[in-house]
């Protein structure tokens, strides 16, 4: 089911006896601070020490406190944002495993018995907890146990609600507001994961854009328009049509529009690559790993998730999301190396490699945005180059920006929501490389691949303030870590939302 249901979160004043609960364990000056955790469960700290309770972020230890309730200690490290996300994620996975698999073996306090129906869980927040720590904890709780499966099996039992027990004297209303906002950010990430994980026999360009439009219709303030191949032809989207020409399932363009009456400042346009499957075309990819190309529209998924979250939060800023969607397939009608393609606006590109298709569809959308939408700022996001994975690995996104201040703004937006970015250079020495011999531009120039792709895209921005986010590495994960799970990660969705919020605050 898309979107995946997420756990509800609320902030309450008091601990409830008999309800399953968890206590974060922070690192103290002399090791794990077990005293507060033990007192909350009516235990001696030595008991928790005996069962191996740890302050390591995400380390979860179950036990059976007095009264028959299920209890966990969960490590929150030194209390950084990453530590709290890890704590929430570790706890969410422990509860999921308890629900699905039954008792927890190895507890020195004895067998916990058959798995109870844990609809509710309470988590005691420590004294002096920071609002940003609540943000991070909610992200971990919401995303850490995410799973996407297409199966005939019945849906497994799941945790439905978490009660965050506020410390004495805390502003519960403020913490509740922070928790609610963090859950919206988690929903943006989760939806982006859902869309990217969906199998491509279902997820063609029409399905992706139509599903996003259906979700937008249920979101107040958000409008959606889906353009078909006829409209794309009439309006000169030669790059999208070339890439999608090899598939029996034609391309689409999704346009999501959010413009509240109290919008401040300029117009932010977000452009996301929407390649619903990528064979590489005639420049065919190796078979090994090609199944992962169902996630090659992760940039478009992040834009969709972000627009829905921005509208849900009612941010006072005008935002448009564009997702050019196509399948890059092999057939007699596929575009070829050596072709010259005319983009929206008339610029021509000589094709060198049909597997460099993402920049072809983004170019049309960027040119359309610059020509028709009067943007103040344009940001595109895409799983664009393998070179970026080599440069930054699998957990950091690359930022190419027209201005250093914009790159820093994006990096800061990501840091506040648990997504890591690194600024990359738009090297002037390689600007001549994107000039074509038979056309205006060369699609896949020699030299550093990620830099060349960014310089190519810049040609379609009409000199506007612009940033290109290459998420080829962090858009997919090979293993679970912190709130990230194996498969599509939803990376960049939260950064885009926070960037929009920052723009609203700045005016």
């Amino acid at each position: 089911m898309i979107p995946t249901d997420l756990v509800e979160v609320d902030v309450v004043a008091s601990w409830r006896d008999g309800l399953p609960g968890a206590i974060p364990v922070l690192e103290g000056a002399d090791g794990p601070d077990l005293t507060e955790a033990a007192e909350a469960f009516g235990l001696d700290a030595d008991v928790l020490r005996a069962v191996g309770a740890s302050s390591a972020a995400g380390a979860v230890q179950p036990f059976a406190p007095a009264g028959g309730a299920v209890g966990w200690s969960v490590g929150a490290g030194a209390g950084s944002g990453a530590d709290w996300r890890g704590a929430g994620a570790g706890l969410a996975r422990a509860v999921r495993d308890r629900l699905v698999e039954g008792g927890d073996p190895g507890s020195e306090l004895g067998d916990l018995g058959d798995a109870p129906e844990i609809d509710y869980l309470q988590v005691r927040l420590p004294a002096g907890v920071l609002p940003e720590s609540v943000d991070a904890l909610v992200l971990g709780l919401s995303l850490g146990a995410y799973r996407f499966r297409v199966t005939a099996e019945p849906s497994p039992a799941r945790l439905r609600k978490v009660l965050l027990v506020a410390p004495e004297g805390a502003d519960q209303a403020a913490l509740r507001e922070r928790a609610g906002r963090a859950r919206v950010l988690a929903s943006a990430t989760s939806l982006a994961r859902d869309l990217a994980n969906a199998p491509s026999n279902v997820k063609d360009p029409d399905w992706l854009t139509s599903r996003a439009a259906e979700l937008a219709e249920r979101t107040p303030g958000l409008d959606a328009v889906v353009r078909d191949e006829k409209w794309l032809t009439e309006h000169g989207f030669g790059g999208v049509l070339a890439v999608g020409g090899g598939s029996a399932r034609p391309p689409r363009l999704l346009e999501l529009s959010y413009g509240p009456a109290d919008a401040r400042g300029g117009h932010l346009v977000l452009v996301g690559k929407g390649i619903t499957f990528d064979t590489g075309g005639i420049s065919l990819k190796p078979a090994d790993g090609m199944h992962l190309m169902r996630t090659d529209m992760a940039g478009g998924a992040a834009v969709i998730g972000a627009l829905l979250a921005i509208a849900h939060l009612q941010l006072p800023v005008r935002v448009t999301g564009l997702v050019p969607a196509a399948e890059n397939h092999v057939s007699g009608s596929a575009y070829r190396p050596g072709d010259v393609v005319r983009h929206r606006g008339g610029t021509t590109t000589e094709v060198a490699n049909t597997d460099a298709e993402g920049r072809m569809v983004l170019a049309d959308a960027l040119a359309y945005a610059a020509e028709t939408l009067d943007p103040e700022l344009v940001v595109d996001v895409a799983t664009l180059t393998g070179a970026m994975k080599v440069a930054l690995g699998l957990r950091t996104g690359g930022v190419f920006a027209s201005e250093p201040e914009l790159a820093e703004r994006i990096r800061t937006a990501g840091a506040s929501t648990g997504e890591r970015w690194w600024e990359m250079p738009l090297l002037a020495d390689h600007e001549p490389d994107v000039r074509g011999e038979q056309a205006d531009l060369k699609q896949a120039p020699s030299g550093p691949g990620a830099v060349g792709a960014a310089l190519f895209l810049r040609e379609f921005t009409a000199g506007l303030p612009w940033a290109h986010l290459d998420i080829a590495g962090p858009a997919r994960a090979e293993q679970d870590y912190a709130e990230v799970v194996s498969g599509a990660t939803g990376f960049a969705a939260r950064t885009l939302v926070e960037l929009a919020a920052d723009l609203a605050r700045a005016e």
Side-chain angles (χ1 to χ4, degrees), residues 198-490:
S200 294
N201 60 319
V202 173
K203 180 181 59 187
D204 66 2
D206 182 67
W207 182 92
L208 174 64
T209 54
S210 297
R211 188 71 185 119
E214 290 170 5
L215 293 171
E217 287 176 4
R218 304 203 297 261
T219 306
L222 189 59
D223 296 318
V225 178
V226 177
R227 274 66 179 257
D228 63 13
E229 69 274 23
K230 180 179 179 181
W231 187 95
L232 293 169
T233 300
E234 292 171 349
H235 291 80
F237 282 66
V240 177
L241 292 164
V243 172
S247 174
R249 304 193 286 184
R252 295 286 186 266
L253 175 69
L254 171 69
E255 183 168 343
L256 296 170
S257 302
Y258 172 72
D262 61 346
R264 301 193 290 264
H267 181 194
L268 171 63
V269 175
L270 306 175
V271 181
K273 172 184 170 184
I275 301 299
T276 55
F277 194 78
D278 182 21
T279 67
I282 287 177
S283 305
L284 191 66
K285 291 179 180 292
D288 185 26
M290 193 190 289
H291 64 286
L292 297 174
M293 291 302 100
R294 66 181 180 274
T295 69
D296 208 23
M297 36 59 66
V303 168
I304 293 167
L307 261 293
L308 288 163
I310 288 166
H312 188 87
L313 292 171
Q314 300 180 349
L315 297 180
V317 61
R318 183 184 175 200
V319 186
T320 298
L322 299 175
V323 180
E327 285 188 328
N328 188 23
H329 271 294
V330 182
S331 75
S333 58
Y335 80 131
R336 297 158 290 263
D339 285 1
V340 173
V341 173
R342 187 176 298 276
H343 294 278
R344 166 80 189 201
T347 299
T348 57
T349 292
E350 58 188 55
V351 176
N353 183 339
T354 63
D355 194 23
E357 83 298 328
R359 67 199 72 181
M360 299 293 288
V361 302
L362 290 173
D364 282 346
L366 289 169
Y368 170 77
E371 181 182 343
T372 67
L373 298 180
D374 190 27
E376 185 81 12
L377 171 62
V378 180
V379 178
D380 74 76
V381 55
T383 50
L384 207 65
T385 66
M388 187 56 63
K389 295 169 68 175
V390 174
L392 297 179
L394 302 181
R395 300 191 183 186
T396 304
V399 182
F400 297 85
S402 58
E403 304 159 3
E405 296 78 11
L406 175 56
E408 178 60 20
R409 200 169 200 173
I410 291 168
R411 190 202 65 78
T412 301
S416 70
T417 60
E419 296 181 332
R420 187 166 56 198
W421 300 93
W422 191 265
E423 183 178 2
M424 301 294 293
L426 289 163
L427 298 171
D429 289 348
H430 291 281
E431 290 175 356
D433 296 345
V434 301
R435 301 297 164 202
E437 297 174 3
Q438 296 180 313
D440 298 319
L441 301 175
K442 184 180 296 184
Q443 171 218 32
S446 59
V451 173
L455 290 170
F456 175 86
L457 292 174
R458 188 177 66 176
E459 296 294 319
F460 297 89
T461 63
L464 290 164
W466 157 79
H468 161 58
L469 310 183
D470 193 332
I471 61 170
R476 309 177 189 97
E478 297 175 352
Q479 60 185 10
D480 296 355
Y481 62 93
E483 82 282 5
V484 176
V485 299
S486 178
T489 66

